[in-house]
C-alpha cells in the first residue's frame, strides 16, 4: 500500500503573495512602456483567479491582447518571480519544513502545481525541499492543462493507493475527488470561502495537517 500526500505549491507551501505583486508589476511595466496597457496592474484580478492554468491567467488579465503578447508577458513575469525567489524575497508558510519532515517518515510526498517547471525548481532549490519531496510535477507535463489529470498521472506512475491532495483552490479539491483521494484545503492567502466548503477538511494552520 502506497500512502501519498500530493501538495499544491502556490498559496499552500509557498507564500507567493510576498512576491506576486512585484513580479506582476514588472510584466505590466513592460506592457505600459510598449503602449499595450493603460492603467493599474490588475493584481486583485490575479489574486481571485490564482490556481487556474497559466493560459487562463493571461487570457483573463489581458483579454484583448494577442497570444504573442501574453506569452511574452508571462515570460517576463516568471523571470522576475524566479529572481525574487532566489533572492529569498518569498517564504514558505510557517511550519512547512517541520510538517513535511514529519509526514515524510511514513508517506510519499509529491508536488502537483500549475506552476512552470523552472519556477517550481527555483523554490525547491532555494528551500532544499527535495529533502522531503519525492518528485515535483508541473502542469506543463499534461496536454490538457488540468490539475485533475496531473494528479491522475501521479497516482498512476507511483501506484498510489491512498492519500490526499493538499491545496487551496477548487482545482485541488476536484483533483483529489476525481482521483479517489481526500481533499484537504488550507485557508491561506488565495483561498475562497465558497470553494473551501467543498473540501473534506479545511486547515487554518499548516501544522494542523499532522
Amino acid at each position: 500500500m502506497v500512502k501519498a500526500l500530493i501538495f499544491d505549491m502556490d498559496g499552500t507551501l509557498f507564500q507567493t503573495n510576498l512576491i506576486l505583486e512585484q513580479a506582476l508589476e514588472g510584466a505590466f511595466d513592460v506592457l505600459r512602456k510598449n503602449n499595450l496597457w493603460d492603467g493599474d496592474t490588475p493584481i486583485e484580478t490575479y489574486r481571485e483567479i490564482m490556481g487556474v492554468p497559466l493560459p487562463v491567467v493571461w487570457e483573463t488579465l489581458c483579454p484583448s491582447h494577442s497570444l504573442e503578447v501574453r506569452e511574452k508577458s508571462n515570460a517576463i513575469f516568471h523571470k522576475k518571480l524566479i529572481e525574487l525567489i532566489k533572492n529569498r524575497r518569498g517564504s514558505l508558510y510557517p511550519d512547512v519544513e517541520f510538517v513535511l519532515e514529519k509526514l515524510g517518515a511514513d508517506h510519499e510526498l509529491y508536488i502537483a502545481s500549475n506552476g512552470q517547471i523552472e519556477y517550481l525548481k527555483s523554490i525547491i532549490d532555494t528551500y532544499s525541499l527535495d529533502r522531503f519531496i519525492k518528485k515535483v510535477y508541473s502542469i506543463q507535463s499534461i496536454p490538457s492543462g488540468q490539475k485533475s489529470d496531473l494528479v491522475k498521472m501521479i497516482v498512476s506512475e507511483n501506484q498510489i493507493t491512498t492519500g490526499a491532495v493538499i491545496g487551496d483552490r477548487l482545482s485541488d479539491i476536484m483533483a483529489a475527488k476525481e482521483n479517489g483521494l481526500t481533499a484537504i484545503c488550507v485557508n491561506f492567502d488565495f483561498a475562497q470561502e465558497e470553494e473551501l466548503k467543498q473540501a473534506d477538511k479545511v486547515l487554518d494552520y499548516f501544522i494542523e495537517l499532522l
Side-chain angles (χ1 to χ4, degrees):
M1 177 181 289
V2 179
K3 296 192 296 181
L5 298 174
I6 302 171
F7 294 89
D8 174 49
M9 179 64 87
D10 295 309
T12 299
L13 299 180
F14 184 68
Q15 296 188 61
T16 318
N17 62 303
L18 297 178
I19 60 173
L20 180 65
E21 186 167 353
Q22 189 173 345
L24 205 60
E25 276 295 347
F28 277 84
D29 278 346
V30 173
L31 288 175
R32 279 186 282 261
K33 287 175 183 176
N34 288 282
N35 296 314
L36 293 170
W37 187 264
D38 182 29
D40 296 333
T41 299
I43 183 69
E44 288 306 320
T45 301
Y46 197 0
R47 290 183 187 281
E48 292 170 6
I49 62 174
M50 192 73 180
V52 303
L54 280 170
V56 179
V57 167
W58 289 99
E59 286 169 14
T60 304
L61 297 181
C62 300
S64 60
H65 293 71
S66 68
L67 178 60
E68 181 183 7
V69 169
R70 291 173 189 165
E71 289 179 345
K72 286 183 178 179
S73 300
N74 182 57
I76 295 166
F77 174 57
H78 273 81
K79 182 179 180 180
K80 188 64 176 178
L81 282 175
I82 290 169
E83 179 183 305
L84 292 166
I85 290 164
K86 289 181 176 179
N87 289 330
R88 288 184 171 267
R89 298 291 295 277
S91 179
L92 300 174
Y93 282 98
D95 301 313
V96 162
E97 291 174 273
F98 175 76
V99 170
L100 293 182
E101 182 178 15
K102 292 292 184 184
L103 291 174
D106 55 2
H107 294 80
E108 291 184 356
L109 308 184
Y110 300 92
I111 286 174
S113 172
N114 282 335
Q116 294 184 341
I117 294 167
E118 295 84 357
Y119 166 75
L120 295 172
K121 186 177 185 302
S122 68
I123 298 174
I124 295 294
D125 290 349
T126 299
Y127 298 97
S128 301
L129 292 183
D130 52 355
R131 290 173 290 161
F132 319 116
I133 303 297
K134 185 172 181 180
K135 189 171 180 180
V136 179
Y137 290 83
S138 165
I139 203 70
Q140 285 179 301
S141 61
I142 289 292
S144 70
Q146 297 299 315
K147 180 71 77 77
S148 294
D149 291 335
L150 185 62
V151 169
K152 182 178 180 179
M153 182 176 76
I154 297 171
V155 169
S156 176
E157 278 191 8
N158 300 285
Q159 299 181 315
I160 295 168
T161 52
T162 184
V165 175
I166 300 94
D168 66 327
R169 298 304 303 264
L170 184 60
S171 60
D172 302 303
I173 296 171
M174 299 312 298
K177 295 193 172 185
E178 290 176 15
N179 287 284
L181 303 174
T182 302
I184 301 174
C185 259
V186 292
N187 188 15
F188 296 165
D189 298 291
F190 303 113
Q192 302 288 317
E193 186 176 352
E194 286 303 310
E195 296 180 0
L196 293 176
K197 292 176 182 178
Q198 299 188 52
D200 296 313
K201 180 71 177 177
V202 176
L203 311 177
D204 289 318
Y205 302 95
F206 198 79
I207 201 164
E208 294 173 353
L209 189 57
L210 294 177

